[in-house]
Amino acid sequence: MHKIAYLFIGREQPIFSTRAHVFQIDPNTKKNWVPTSKHAVTVSYFYDSTRNVYRIISLDGSKAIINSTITPNMTFTKTSQKFGQWADSRANTVYGLGFSSEHHLSKFAEKFQEFKEAARLAKEKSQEKMELTSTPSQESAGGDLQSPLTPESINGTDDERTPDVTQNSEPRAEPTQNALPFSHSSAISKHWEAELATLKGNNAKLTAALLESTANVKQWKQQLAAYQEEAERLHKRVTELECVSSQANAVHTHKTELNQTIQELEETLKVKEEEIERLKQEIDNARELQEQRDSLTQKLQEVEIRNKDLEGQLSDLEQRLEKSQNEQEAFRNNLKTLLEILDGKIFELTELRDNLAKLLECS
């Protein structure tokens, strides 16, 4: 299949590409999905201008894991928010794509519907072109071939078709009526024999095509029954997935709440870290203050010791001062006594002087 894919890709151009996980339905169970790619791969829409067809192709390395031609009867179904599928009767399988987001799934589905409609229009134009090209050949074959082909006419025997041709050729082969030369009549007979052989060959081909179409119809009916069964199973699966989706929504809601809680805790943690940083600064400041306090305490102790020494010296000086004051008081008292005595002596000397003076005056 991958050789065929490379052959077609060589003359086709991708018109839309996306990435998805590729799955195929299990051919044995027709129920389970089998992954055909270990990781997300590129899935592309291709347009073949020579054949006027649209195809979906995906390569995993050198292997073509999707090679699906879009037909008007195909339907792309979204089974969940990120998963979609479609059935390919030619490949006799069902493809599934898992996308990373709902937007990618919606875009792929829109392109599928767009190219499906384009394939339908291309098929209608092709059929109209075939009808137009087949009309001149039917008219040249005679009046009986101008009507559309039916299964009865296709399955008719050669003997049933022979009289019509001979009836058409007999008037021309009758020498008495048309007065034609014998050689000319023989040429006409050969011409109609060749036409008859051509019609027999076409009849055989159409009969084989009808048999093949009948076999294909039976096969399509079987595939349709299988698809209907698969559709019922998928419907049940969709119901299950919807339940799972509701649970997923609950999980998503819980996850959102957890994310909000985590965000709040992160903000709280950030606040706590800022507070811890502030407390560290305060601790550093407190340590500096403690060091200053210890230094001041040591200085205070030194001052207290010095103060005690000064108090001792002051007490000693006070004692000495008191002793000195006492001594001064005693000296003052003694001096006062001495002054009193000196005053007495001076008074006596004064009296003595006065007496001496009087004695001098008297002498």
Side-chain angles (χ1 to χ4, degrees), residues 33 75-79 83-87 94-97 230 234:
W33 288 106
T75 302
F76 185 82
T77 306
K78 297 180 183 178
T79 58
F83 193 86
Q85 65 183 42
W86 79 94
V94 179
Y95 294 105
L97 296 179
E230 180 67 15
L234 290 176

Side-chain angles (χ1 to χ4, degrees), residues 5 18 71 73 82 85-86 95 127 150 165 250 345 348 356:
T18 186
T71 59
N73 58 347
K82 298 181 181 180
Q85 65 183 42
W86 79 94
Y95 294 105
Q127 289 177 349
T150 61
V165 177
K345 292 296 182 182
E348 289 177 357
L356 288 176

Side-chain angles (χ1 to χ4, degrees), residues 30-265:
K30 297 292 184 181
K31 294 181 179 180
N32 300 324
W33 288 106
V34 178
T36 56
S37 64
K38 296 181 181 180
H39 49 79
V41 295
T42 301
V43 182
S44 302
Y45 286 99
F46 282 82
Y47 175 65
D48 187 353
S49 57
T50 58
R51 300 170 60 198
N52 199 18
V53 294
Y54 294 87
R55 295 193 306 139
I56 302 174
I57 296 177
S58 178
L59 299 177
D60 189 4
S62 60
K63 180 182 178 182
I65 55 179
I66 298 180
N67 185 10
S68 178
T69 302
I70 300 176
T71 59
N73 58 347
M74 282 186 178
T75 302
F76 185 82
T77 306
K78 297 180 183 178
T79 58
S80 68
Q81 292 182 350
K82 298 181 181 180
F83 193 86
Q85 65 183 42
W86 79 94
D88 190 341
S89 59
R90 295 184 180 181
N92 194 21
T93 187
V94 179
Y95 294 105
L97 296 179
F99 296 89
S100 59
S101 65
E102 185 177 359
H103 171 72
H104 290 86
L105 172 60
S106 300
K107 191 67 177 178
F108 187 88
E110 291 176 1
K111 292 296 181 181
F112 191 97
Q113 186 65 27
E114 177 184 345
F115 299 144
K116 170 185 171 182
E117 184 67 18
R120 184 186 66 80
L121 295 175
K123 183 177 180 181
E124 291 178 354
K125 290 181 180 179
S126 178
Q127 289 177 349
E128 291 176 359
K129 186 176 181 181
M130 290 178 64
E131 290 176 358
L132 292 174
T133 55
S134 63
T135 301
S137 62
Q138 291 176 354
E139 290 177 352
S140 63
D144 293 338
L145 298 177
Q146 292 178 359
S147 61
L149 293 175
T150 61
E152 291 77 13
S153 64
I154 293 173
N155 292 327
T157 61
D158 295 339
D159 295 336
E160 293 174 352
R161 288 183 153 296
T162 304
D164 297 336
V165 177
T166 54
Q167 287 175 6
N168 293 333
S169 60
E170 279 177 359
R172 297 183 181 182
E174 186 66 33
T176 58
Q177 293 178 359
N178 295 320
L180 295 172
F182 178 76
S183 60
H184 192 193
S185 176
S186 176
I188 293 175
S189 297
K190 290 180 180 180
H191 171 73
W192 285 114
E193 286 176 359
E195 289 288 338
L196 180 60
T198 303
L199 290 174
K200 285 181 180 180
N202 291 336
N203 185 38
K205 292 179 181 179
L206 292 173
T207 303
L210 180 61
L211 293 175
E212 185 180 356
S213 299
T214 304
N216 289 334
V217 167
K218 291 181 180 179
Q219 184 181 2
W220 291 340
K221 285 182 179 179
Q222 293 176 357
Q223 291 180 355
L224 179 60
Y227 290 153
Q228 288 177 348
E229 181 181 355
E230 180 67 15
E232 292 178 358
R233 187 192 67 79
L234 290 176
H235 181 69
K236 293 180 181 178
R237 181 61 177 168
V238 167
T239 304
E240 295 175 358
L241 290 175
E242 287 178 352
C243 296
V244 174
S245 178
S246 61
Q247 295 177 358
N249 291 332
V251 172
H252 180 69
T253 303
H254 184 61
K255 182 180 178 182
T256 304
E257 294 176 355
L258 289 177
N259 289 333
Q260 293 178 353
T261 304
I262 291 172
Q263 187 176 1
E264 292 175 356
L265 290 175

Side-chain angles (χ1 to χ4, degrees), residues 334-348:
N334 292 329
L335 184 62
K336 186 178 180 181
T337 303
L338 183 59
L339 287 174
E340 289 178 354
I341 292 172
L342 184 60
D343 288 335
K345 292 296 182 182
I346 290 171
F347 182 74
E348 289 177 357

